[in-house]
């Protein structure tokens, strides 16, 4: 069997020293100066409450944040969103027919309950992800046919179809490995006292308040862990997170508001780090969702739904830079692609539709539609979304659109969007490191998040080919074509990537903040 | 008195039954499928169906209601769909926190409200009255959210004398518990104190100008005893207002708990509604309604105790 590597050159993975395997990039540069102390607990202000801490069932972004402290994955992502081995020893090796993936595992690793980490444990976790009733991982691992423990340090995965994004899936929740002993003991209640391989082990959870972890003595890289614990405190309001950071009640706070971040820059007690989030914000246009996302796409009889030219006019009317300045103090990164700015799959010469209200007005007037053209804009009831919707309304009005904002609480707005009850829907996507995760399910035929109901066989074919191709250069070529087609169809007008600000106490050093926007505390320490 | 309590208790049970039906149907009338919320960012039909089956959401509504009632009578309020923890455990953990917060807020409200109300009534038309009335108006108008943020900025960020957030159990560390409860209780108690102040002032003014006080005054009763007599008769109004303010206190607790990161009951309920966590909503509302009904029952009984004419008028209805 001829083997080749998935996603990254072999040289890169082999060049990585073993210790570096579990630490992605992201500038672990210390915030503080002075001697590194051993001990102390970091209190981290989390932006929302995680759901169940069970890798198979969890589906919130914040749960991903918490998992990094106590539950390692087969792979992780670095600054540039490249895969780096974590519990795996090397990058996955793919057979010539792309249907068999072999993963060598780290040796001498134990779970936080002392259970040895081996191929059988990986098989148990992956099988649970694929088969447990209600598992949120089923779709992510749909291409997996079998998982086999070849020997204690090697796992082999066979696929029903070639699927390049598998590596990226294993660098997300589908790659989290659970202790077989704890699984046997707790079953579907694993999330109440989860046990994995990680620098910290689960201590307690006070629902709605905080989750505590203490240093693990079983961790294979324990000599790099300086803190005696990490506590995740749920502080939903960004202004309150900033105040807590300033008062010293928390030593780290994620997703600070851009306006607070500007103020904190001058505070000597606080150090700021920022990244462009891998997710995006966009305006989904209903082009074919006539009976819900689960039903076949049809023909939507609205001016925007019928006419790609009017969708172009709407995009031409939007000044992304002005939106960013007015709503986000200029801190976000405006963009017209769904791929993260760090992604190596982005086309080198990508050009956005420029702001051109004159041209937009001409298209609207030539459309033959009765003016102003009504647009029912569905908006989740969140302060920033409301402001953004008002800016869109004002910009689109100037070229002949009558945007009527319909605010709805988040879950209700998602229900309305899935039912096709909108002309345009202001919604974002949390983002994935592989292009497939930012396209297939969002604009591909039948995708569960394809709110606009786009159904274009040519585009679907490109997405399918992109997922099947295993060579990076070939994939980039396919995705460049797919993105061009996507831009033509305009079922989503992409607006920006959020800039996430991580605030740290200046006494804290060694916190890693890689491209996925999730802070890691494995190497963090207080300074004297 | 016994008959009065019995009558009021029966009425309370009917309220509880009706509330359980309203909550059950009300949350299911909301748009948004809880199974879809649980199925993750990329839900597929099989996962959604499995989740519906797991939480009994695929059964007809009457069956779901019957299961809910049967479980409730067995003391089992179901499993939280968000974190898969038994609802009863969550409520047992959260309820004392909110009870502590609201009790402290009531203490703050009574201490400030009654004393300011007395001062305002006794010194009617003078600067004390104007200041107290102005502060009362401020307390009524200012949102808890804003007040909470200002309190954090002043006491935690600038002065660094009190913590900005977090909760420590009373049993774990009583001193730290009180330290962390001071700001939230002050913030939550401020609005209540304003209401109590205004009610105390108006009730006491009414009593002080009543015939019996004038007669007592003409017979040489001292000013302090005059106020004491008037205040006792004004307290029925204050007690009633306190009962009626429970709802406002609970809704205020939602915001206060959010700002100060207190794992209380109000925040739990709002989060459960936003994530369509049916078992938690049902359990939380049932407990809240029960609390509300019991408090109002106690207020009625206290009221009847303070004013015996009420017992008689209730009996003759």
């Amino acid at each position: 069997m001829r083997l080749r590597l998935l996603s990254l050159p072999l040289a890169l993975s082999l060049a990585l020293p073993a210790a570096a395997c579990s630490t992605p990039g992201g500038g672990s540069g210390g915030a503080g100066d002075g001697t590194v102390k051993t001990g102390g607990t970091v209190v981290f202000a989390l932006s929302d409450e995680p759901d169940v801490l069970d890798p198979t069932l969890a589906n919130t972004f914040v749960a991903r944040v918490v998992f990094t402290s106590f539950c390692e994955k087969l792979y992780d992502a670095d600054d540039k969103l490249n895969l780096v081995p974590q519990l795996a020893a090397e990058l996955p090796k793919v057979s010539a027919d792309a249907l068999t993936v072999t993963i060598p595992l780290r040796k001498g690793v134990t779970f936080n309950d002392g259970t040895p980490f081996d191929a059988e444990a990986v098989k148990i976790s992956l099988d649970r992800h694929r088969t447990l009733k209600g598992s949120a991982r089923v779709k992510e691992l749909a291409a997996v046919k079998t998982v086999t423990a070849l020997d204690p340090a090697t796992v082999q995965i066979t696929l029903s179809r070639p699927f390049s994004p598998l590596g990226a899936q294993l660098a997300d929740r589908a790659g989290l490995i659970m202790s077989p002993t704890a699984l046997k003991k707790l079953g579907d209640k694993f999330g109440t006292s989860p046990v994995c391989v990680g620098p910290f082990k689960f201590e307690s959870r006070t629902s709605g308040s905080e989750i505590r972890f203490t240093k693990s003595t079983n961790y294979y890289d324990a000599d790099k862990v300086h803190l005696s614990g990490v506590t995740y405190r749920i502080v939903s309001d960004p202004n309150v997170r900033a105040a807590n950071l300033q008062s010293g009640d928390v030593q780290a706070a994620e997703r600070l508001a851009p306006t607070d971040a500007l103020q904190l820059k001058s505070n000597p007690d606080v150090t700021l780090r920022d990244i462009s989030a891998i997710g995006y914000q966009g305006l989904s246009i209903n082009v074919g969702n006539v009976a819900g996302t689960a039903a076949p796409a049809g023909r939507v009889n609205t001016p925007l739904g019928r006419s790609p030219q009017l969708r172009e006019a709407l995009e031409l009317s939007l000044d992304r830079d002005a939106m960013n300045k007015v709503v986000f103090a200029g801190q976000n990164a405006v963009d017209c692609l769904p791929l993260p700015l760090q992604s190596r799959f982005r086309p080198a010469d990508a050009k956005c539709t420029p702001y051109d209200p004159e041209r937009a007005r001409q298209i609207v007037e030539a459309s033959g539609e009765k003016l102003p053209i009504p647009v029912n804009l569905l908006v989740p009831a969140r302060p920033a979304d409301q402001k953004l919707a008002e800016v869109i309304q004002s910009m689109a009005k100037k070229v002949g659109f009558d945007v009527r904002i319909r605010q709805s609480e988040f879950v209700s707005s998602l229900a309305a969007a899935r039912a096709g009850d909108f002309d345009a829907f202001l919604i974002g996507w949390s983002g994935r490191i592989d292009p497939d995760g930012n396209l297939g399910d969002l604009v591909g035929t039948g995708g569960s998040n394809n709110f606009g109901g786009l159904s274009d066989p040519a585009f679907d074919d490109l997405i399918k080919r992109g997922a099947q191709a295993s060579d990076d250069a070939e994939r980039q070529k396919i995705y460049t074509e797919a993105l061009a087609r996507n831009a033509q169809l305009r079922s989503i007008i992409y607006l920006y990537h959020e800039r996430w600000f991580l605030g740290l106490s200046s006494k804290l050093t060694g916190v890693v903040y890689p491209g996925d926007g999730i802070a890691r505390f494995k190497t963090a320490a207080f300074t004297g | 008195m016994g008959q009065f309590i019995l009558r009021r208790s029966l009425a309370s049970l009917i309220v509880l039954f009706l509330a359980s039906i309203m909550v059950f149907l009300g949350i299911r009338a909301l748009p948004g499928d809880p199974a879809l919320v649980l199925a993750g960012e990329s839900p597929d039909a099989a996962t959604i169906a499995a989740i519906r089956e797991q939480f009994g959401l695929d059964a007809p509504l009457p069956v779901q209601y019957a299961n809910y009632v049967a479980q409730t009578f067995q003391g089992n309020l179901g499993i939280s769909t968000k974190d898969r923890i038994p609802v009863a455990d969550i409520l047992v953990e959260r309820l004392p926190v909110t009870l502590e917060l609201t009790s402290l807020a009531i203490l703050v409200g009574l201490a400030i409200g009654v004393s300011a109300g007395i001062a305002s009534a006794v010194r009617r038309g003078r600067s004390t009255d104007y200041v107290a009335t102005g502060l009362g108006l401020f307390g009524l108008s200012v949102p808890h959210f804003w007040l909470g943020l200002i309190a954090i900025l002043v006491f935690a960020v600038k002065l660094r004398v009190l913590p900005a957030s977090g909760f420590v159990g009373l049993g774990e560390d009583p001193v730290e518990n009180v330290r962390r409860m001071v700001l939230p209780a002050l913030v939550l108690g401020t609005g209540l104190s304003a209401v109590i102040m205004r009610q105390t002032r108006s009730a006491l003014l009414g009593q002080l100008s009543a015939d019996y006080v004038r007669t007592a005054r003409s017979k040489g009763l001292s000013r302090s005893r005059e106020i004491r007599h008037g205040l006792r008769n004004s307290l029925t109004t204050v007690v009633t207002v306190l009962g009626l303010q429970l709802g406002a206190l609970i809704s205020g607790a939602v915001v206060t708990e959010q700002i100060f990161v207190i794992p209380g009951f109000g925040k739990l309920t709002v989060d459960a509604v936003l994530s369509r966590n049916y078992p938690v909503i049902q359990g939380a509302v049932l407990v809240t309604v029960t609390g509300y009904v019991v408090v109002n029952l106690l207020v009625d009984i206290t009221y009847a105790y303070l004013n015996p004419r009420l017992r008689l008028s209730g009996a003759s209805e």
Side-chain angles (χ1 to χ4, degrees):
Chain A
M1 184 187 295
R2 192 169 67 85
L3 297 177
R4 58 199 157 77
L5 284 172
L6 191 73
S7 303
L8 259 192
L10 176 63
L12 176 62
S13 72
L14 294 178
L16 284 165
C21 288
S22 61
T23 308
S28 57
D33 300 318
T35 324
V36 168
K37 285 198 241 174
T38 300
T41 297
V42 163
V43 182
F44 180 76
L46 203 58
S47 58
D48 201 356
E49 180 168 16
D51 55 343
V52 60
L53 293 180
D54 181 327
T56 306
L57 303 172
N59 61 50
T60 53
F61 179 82
V62 278
R64 283 154 84 177
V65 177
V66 175
F67 281 133
T68 57
S69 278
F70 79 99
C71 204
E72 293 201 338
K73 304 168 282 190
L74 289 173
Y75 296 97
D76 207 346
D78 68 7
D79 271 3
K80 305 260 184 271
L81 304 182
N82 295 317
L83 291 187
V84 288
Q86 195 170 55
L87 287 175
E90 293 172 31
L91 291 175
K93 295 166 182 173
V94 185
S95 64
D97 61 3
L99 291 173
T100 306
V101 178
T102 306
I103 302 174
L105 303 175
R106 273 177 177 274
K107 290 173 186 166
V109 174
T110 54
F111 289 95
N112 285 336
D113 59 358
T115 306
F117 166 81
D118 56 16
E120 192 54 36
V122 174
K123 176 182 162 51
I124 289 169
S125 281
L126 295 187
D127 283 346
R128 186 175 187 262
H129 289 331
R130 295 190 307 124
T131 58
L132 187 76
K133 227 176 193 183
S135 165
R137 308 281 83 83
V138 173
K139 209 168 171 179
E140 295 160 16
L141 297 175
V144 174
K145 204 158 74 175
T146 61
V147 181
T148 312
L150 287 185
D151 61 57
T154 316
V155 168
Q156 192 176 68
I157 296 172
T158 59
L159 303 173
S160 56
R161 59 177 194 275
F163 187 62
S164 281
L166 180 68
Q169 299 292 15
L170 297 177
D172 201 338
R173 288 156 291 189
L176 292 164
I177 307 300
M178 300 159 276
S179 158
T181 311
L183 280 175
K184 204 171 170 185
K185 191 174 145 196
L186 296 166
D188 60 0
K189 293 187 177 58
F190 178 83
T192 58
S193 187
V195 182
C196 298
V197 176
F200 302 95
K201 62 180 179 183
F202 177 81
E203 185 69 27
S204 65
R205 176 175 188 162
T206 307
S207 173
S209 175
E210 56 187 34
I211 306 169
R212 292 180 189 180
F213 297 91
T214 51
K215 183 178 174 176
S216 167
T217 47
N218 296 95
Y219 188 51
Y220 61 89
D221 230 0
D223 56 339
K224 287 204 175 82
V225 182
H226 305 288
L227 295 173
S228 53
V230 176
T231 295
Y232 289 91
R233 185 173 292 168
I234 297 127
V235 188
S236 312
D237 186 86
N239 305 123
V240 180
R241 281 200 294 280
N244 272 265
L245 185 65
Q246 285 174 288
S247 70
D249 282 79
V250 304
Q251 292 78 46
E254 67 164 358
R255 299 177 75 170
L256 297 168
T259 43
D260 286 333
L262 286 174
Q263 279 185 346
L264 287 170
K265 272 180 186 167
S266 57
N267 186 334
D269 297 332
V270 173
T271 305
L272 276 182
R273 308 263 287 278
D274 66 273
I275 55 115
S276 166
I278 61 172
Y280 65 77
Q281 182 75 17
L283 203 55
S284 283
I285 313 287
N286 191 351
V287 295
N289 184 351
V290 285
T293 45
R299 197 175 161 75
V300 171
N301 197 22
T302 61
L304 271 188
R306 282 192 302 264
S307 164
Q309 289 77 26
L310 282 178
R311 297 200 289 275
E312 185 190 355
L314 182 61
E315 185 171 6
L316 285 163
S317 76
L318 303 178
D319 183 347
R320 290 181 173 90
D321 288 317
M323 277 181 198
N324 190 23
K325 276 180 197 151
V326 171
V327 186
F328 305 104
Q331 297 295 311
N332 286 339
V334 296
D335 193 21
C336 55
L337 293 180
L339 305 194
L341 295 179
Q342 307 92 319
S343 173
R344 64 185 180 281
F345 294 104
R346 283 178 71 91
D349 56 348
K351 282 196 184 88
C352 289
T353 303
Y355 169 57
D356 189 347
E358 263 317 302
R359 168 105 186 95
R361 202 173 295 117
Q362 284 167 12
I363 296 173
V364 168
E365 281 165 7
S367 69
E369 298 284 350
K370 189 183 166 197
L371 300 183
I373 296 169
V375 178
N376 163 15
L377 175 60
L378 180 63
V379 183
R382 296 181 289 206
D385 287 344
Q386 168 69 17
K387 275 190 215 165
L388 186 61
E390 284 166 8
V391 173
I392 290 171
Q393 183 183 48
S394 145
M395 288 174 173
K397 189 181 176 184
K398 289 177 187 162
V399 305
F401 290 103
D402 175 20
V403 175
R404 295 163 194 173
I405 298 171
R406 181 158 61 99
Q407 261 206 319
S408 182
E409 163 267 338
F410 186 67
V411 174
S412 302
S413 70
L414 278 185
R418 285 192 199 288
D421 181 17
F422 69 100
D423 295 337
F425 179 33
L426 190 61
I427 187 72
W429 172 241
S430 60
R432 297 289 182 270
I433 61 174
D434 192 89
D436 185 70
N438 299 313
L439 288 166
D441 200 46
L442 295 123
V443 271
T445 300
S448 57
N449 289 311
N450 183 356
F451 300 115
L454 178 71
S455 180
D456 181 67
F459 180 75
D460 292 342
D461 185 55
L462 287 165
I463 294 298
K464 195 175 157 191
R465 280 171 47 209
Q468 286 181 344
S470 51
D471 177 67
D472 269 6
E474 190 191 347
R475 290 191 80 201
Q476 188 186 23
K477 204 174 143 195
I478 295 170
Y479 285 122
T480 300
E481 220 179 307
L483 291 168
R485 178 78 186 144
N486 192 32
Q488 239 175 11
L489 296 165
R490 278 195 187 81
S491 76
I492 300 179
I493 298 172
Y494 303 98
L495 299 174
Y496 62 85
H497 302 280
E498 271 184 90
R499 185 155 294 278
W500 284 356
F501 294 92
L502 175 74
L504 298 170
S505 157
S506 53
K507 288 180 182 153
L508 193 61
T509 186
V511 178
V512 176
Y513 195 47
D516 60 7
I518 297 176
R520 270 79 156 173
F521 294 96
K522 174 182 162 179
T523 53
F526 286 104
T527 52
Chain B
M1 190 71 180
Q3 263 195 341
F4 176 83
I5 294 173
L6 188 67
R7 251 195 341 265
R8 286 281 192 264
S9 302
L10 281 175
S12 301
L13 282 177
I14 294 169
V15 169
L16 278 178
F17 171 68
L18 292 175
S20 75
I21 293 181
M22 284 174 70
V23 171
F24 181 85
L25 294 177
I27 52 173
R28 280 161 177 80
L30 285 175
D33 181 350
L36 208 56
V37 175
L38 287 171
E41 287 182 309
S42 304
D44 66 290
T47 307
I48 293 168
I51 292 168
R52 283 208 181 102
E53 192 193 328
Q54 195 180 354
F55 290 101
L57 297 165
D58 53 347
L61 279 186
V63 176
Q64 286 187 42
Y65 181 72
N67 288 340
Y68 158 56
V69 173
Q71 281 181 347
T72 305
F73 275 111
Q74 290 163 14
N76 171 15
L77 296 172
I79 300 285
S80 160
T81 55
K82 186 170 183 182
D83 44 23
R84 321 278 164 133
I85 299 171
V87 174
D89 290 359
I90 299 175
L91 297 183
V92 165
E93 196 175 74
R94 300 284 196 106
L95 194 56
V97 178
T98 298
L99 283 179
E100 187 189 348
L101 174 63
T102 47
S103 304
L104 289 171
I106 289 172
L107 280 181
V108 169
L110 280 174
I112 300 175
V114 172
S115 38
I118 294 170
S120 186
V122 171
R123 297 182 169 271
R124 186 185 184 188
R126 295 190 212 167
S127 55
T128 314
D129 184 22
Y130 295 133
V131 170
T133 310
L135 285 176
L137 197 63
F138 173 80
L140 277 178
S141 326
V142 70
H144 287 114
F145 185 77
W146 182 83
L147 197 60
L149 276 177
I150 295 297
I152 289 175
L153 281 176
V154 173
F155 295 102
V157 177
K158 295 284 175 206
L159 302 176
R160 299 208 171 201
V161 288
L162 289 167
S165 69
F167 176 78
V168 174
L170 195 60
E172 207 178 321
D173 186 344
V175 177
E176 192 56 31
N177 170 275
V178 173
R179 252 171 58 75
R180 288 180 187 269
M181 280 302 207
V182 170
L183 285 184
L186 275 173
V187 167
L188 189 56
T190 302
L192 184 67
S193 69
V195 176
I196 291 174
M197 189 283 280
R198 288 165 72 91
Q199 293 299 332
T200 307
R201 180 184 182 274
S202 102
L204 188 57
L205 280 175
Q207 292 299 326
L208 290 179
S209 58
D211 290 345
Y212 75 94
V213 174
R214 200 166 31 239
T215 308
R217 196 184 302 144
S218 67
K219 287 184 172 180
L221 193 73
S222 71
R223 181 68 171 157
S224 62
R225 292 200 67 185
E226 189 186 306
I227 293 167
R228 209 178 304 156
H229 279 299
L231 187 61
R232 181 184 160 110
N233 288 328
S234 310
L235 281 182
T236 47
T237 315
V238 175
V239 171
T240 310
V241 166
L242 211 54
L244 292 172
Q245 282 297 307
L246 189 73
L249 211 54
I250 289 171
S251 60
V254 173
V255 180
T256 313
E257 285 167 3
Q258 191 93 15
I259 298 168
F260 292 99
V261 197
I262 294 173
F265 203 69
K267 186 172 178 291
L268 172 78
T269 313
V270 172
D271 289 347
V273 172
L274 293 178
S275 60
R276 304 294 188 271
N277 195 339
Y278 288 176
V280 170
I281 302 170
Q282 286 166 182
V285 174
L286 188 70
V287 171
T288 309
V289 172
T290 307
Y292 210 94
V293 164
V294 169
V295 167
N296 276 285
L297 184 65
L298 291 176
V299 168
D300 283 353
I301 293 168
T302 314
Y303 209 54
Y305 171 75
L306 290 170
N307 189 349
R309 281 176 300 178
L310 285 175
R311 278 176 258 162
L312 296 172
S313 67
S316 63
E317 272 167 15

